[in-house]
Amino acid sequence: MPDEMSFNLEAARIKSIPDDAFYIPDFITEDEERYLVQKITSAPIPRWTHLSHRRLQTWPSALTKSNALISSPLPLWLVSPIITRFDELGIFADAPHGRPNHVLINEYTPGRGIMPHEDGAAYYPLVATVSLGGSIVLDIYPKRDYREDGNEDKGNDKGEGKPRLQPQFRILQERRSLLVTRKNMYTDFLHGIADTEKDEKLGPEGICNWDLLRERNSYASGCYQRETRTSLTYRDVLKVVKLGNTMKFLAGR
């Protein structure tokens, strides 16, 4: 881990957010970012799933209908350096499998986002997201307020529709950064990305991790013109089954 990243996770805590959220601005180097982008963009076409607003990859595979993961190792390029650094920081130390076993890769072009949503009960309540290529603002909504306001009828998890409720928290995720959310931030809040080509109202009063950013001067104008961003979302799927057991189950149906 580069010297500038050699600190404990507590130093990265976003203090204005309920338990728990952490932000590390330089989690990977520029060379590592280029390598990861190259591996993602050179993946075979069948690896990509195309939705109306974005495309994505799922590693090592998508979950089954029963929200189980078929046991299979992640490719080495998704393990080192990222999961190696998770281990050094103890991020997944309390998770059932001790480290993430599933990675969702989303590509967001300018103007495209995703409606507020939750990750759900299939995963241990901890999410670690690495951003590549561009910065973006993540909007955080209290789950109860969002649903009581009738926003669930305004869109879906494919990024369609627009919520009426204003986010309670906004986190600026810079390229090469790591964002970790867990505990109440996982169970009691929804997160989404606005469909916009420009993130605005950027500053210490509107961005809750402002004091942790690497390049605050880059956002001094209060806005940021989006570029294509790729996110790597690491999670621990609770239910893991071996392929042989899965085939036996299907054969008996």
Side-chain angles (χ1 to χ4, degrees):
M1 184 180 295
D3 292 341
E4 65 269 22
M5 291 185 273
S6 299
F7 51 83
N8 60 50
L9 193 61
E10 189 59 33
R13 180 181 292 275
I14 304 176
K15 296 181 175 64
S16 61
I17 281 184
D19 291 346
D20 273 336
F22 306 88
Y23 181 80
I24 299 177
D26 284 295
F27 190 69
I28 60 173
T29 67
E30 293 185 13
D31 286 343
E32 290 165 346
E33 178 188 40
R34 281 191 288 268
Y35 173 73
L36 288 166
V37 170
Q38 186 274 326
K39 295 296 289 186
I40 293 167
T41 56
S42 64
I45 292 177
R47 265 289 171 187
W48 288 102
T49 298
H50 292 263
L51 304 178
S52 58
H53 278 59
R54 68 189 190 282
R55 61 176 185 166
L56 58 88
Q57 296 178 24
T58 309
W59 294 88
S61 63
L63 303 190
T64 68
K65 291 183 179 179
S66 61
N67 282 332
L69 177 67
I70 297 174
S71 180
S72 181
L74 289 167
L76 290 179
W77 59 272
L78 286 172
V79 174
S80 180
I82 292 176
I83 293 181
T84 303
R85 291 180 186 152
F86 290 168
D87 293 342
E88 293 173 8
L89 290 167
I91 291 175
F92 282 85
D94 295 330
H97 300 99
R99 54 175 22 193
N101 56 16
H102 189 263
V103 182
L104 181 64
I105 300 175
N106 277 292
E107 181 186 78
Y108 296 94
T109 56
R112 300 301 190 183
I114 184 171
M115 280 292 291
H117 63 282
E118 60 185 325
D119 289 311
Y123 309 96
Y124 178 74
L126 188 158
V127 179
T129 302
V130 176
S131 295
L132 310 175
S135 303
I136 208 163
V137 170
L138 185 72
D139 296 325
I140 309 292
Y141 303 81
K143 190 185 298 185
R144 177 179 298 179
D145 293 349
Y146 186 85
R147 289 174 175 170
E148 288 180 351
D149 198 55
N151 287 280
E152 285 187 317
D153 297 329
K154 300 295 290 182
N156 55 46
D157 64 1
K158 292 182 174 60
E160 298 162 349
K162 184 177 182 181
R164 296 190 299 257
L165 188 68
Q166 293 299 308
Q168 182 173 349
F169 304 107
R170 301 172 73 225
I171 299 173
L172 179 55
Q173 295 177 258
E174 300 169 285
R175 59 186 301 180
R176 303 193 305 279
S177 70
L178 170 70
L179 175 66
V180 177
T181 56
R182 66 185 188 186
K183 298 182 179 179
N184 289 347
M185 280 301 298
Y186 185 97
T187 58
D188 298 342
F189 291 84
L190 307 178
H191 55 278
I193 298 169
D195 288 337
T196 182
E197 294 187 357
K198 181 186 294 185
D199 284 309
E200 300 181 297
K201 297 181 180 179
L202 307 182
E205 296 179 356
I207 299 298
C208 56
N209 62 322
W210 185 260
D211 60 322
L212 297 172
L213 295 178
R214 176 183 64 243
E215 299 177 345
R216 289 190 292 272
N217 291 339
S218 300
Y219 312 105
S221 64
C223 63
Y224 169 76
Q225 192 72 37
R226 284 189 187 171
E227 302 173 83
T228 296
R229 169 185 176 261
T230 302
S231 64
L232 281 64
T233 301
Y234 285 77
R235 292 174 290 203
D236 184 4
V237 180
L238 298 175
K239 185 178 180 181
V240 178
V241 296
K242 293 184 178 180
L243 182 58
N245 293 338
T246 303
M247 297 304 292
K248 290 179 183 177
F249 170 77
L250 293 175
R253 295 186 66 179

